[in-house]
Amino acid sequence: MKKLLFIAAVFAATVPAFAGGFVTNTNQSVSFLRMPAQEAVISVDGAYFNPAGLTFLDEGLHIGGNWQAAFQKRYSTTTFAAFAMGARNGGKTEKEFVGNTAAPVIPSIDLAYVSGRWAFSGHVGVIGGGGSAEYNDGLGTFEGMIAAQAAQAIPLGITNYDADIYLKGTSFYVGTQINAAYKVTDYLSLALGLRNIIALNNYDGYLHDIKMNGAVAAADMDLDVMQSAMGFAPILGVDFKYGKWNVAARYEFAAKLNFKNDTKTNTTGMAA
């Protein structure tokens, strides 16, 4: 039972580290891929990057939309002497764990309406996460705990271990932003905005068929949990434009997110 709870504790403690949602996605438009310095842009994309600069657009309604796709592989190499006991490791002490990251649709929409000295704008986009990371062989931390237990049992005649390990983490942080900007002078504009953040994370993983010397050594453990949260972030902006010169700044306040767990399956042995 101690061995089982030890492995379960590591499983439960490690999974939250792979949410990935706390990293802000600043590439809210395709233009960002060509030039990352978008904070002083004078275009409809400014609904996210530079809301204060929208007062310098032509009067009327401006609409912009973007659709991006991202695919990536993540490699994690772990070296552990006990990995040599793994039935699938060929006696090697170093093992590479590969994660497939997929975000086929990363959309964003920008709207701006300019009238006189006022500009009202809105932005909807994925500001964090945006896809999933799937590890078909789990992670080194997971297998390392099983390998450690096998190594400790060598005096009892254990020579190898095996397990079916899997982890998939999905994260989406959707931001809906509204702004109001006012041109104080012909050269200076100020903006005030508010972003609503809806965060959704899902963790789906398991440790199945844990075996020592080919015999079942522990029960299966599964975890399927959805986390959700909502928060708000005030935004301040300023833009100074004179001739061909333009200087802008945007400050976003921190948003507090209190996550709630909706646990569909949890047989890890941990109440949380």
Side-chain angles (χ1 to χ4, degrees), residues 148-165:
Q149 294 298 320
Q152 292 177 9
I154 289 178
L156 301 178
I158 298 299
T159 60
N160 65 81
Y161 69 87
D162 195 11
D164 183 12
I165 310 173

Side-chain angles (χ1 to χ4, degrees), residues 162-176:
D162 195 11
D164 183 12
I165 310 173
Y166 174 81
L167 172 66
K168 182 177 181 180
T170 303
S171 177
F172 287 94
Y173 284 58
V174 179
T176 302

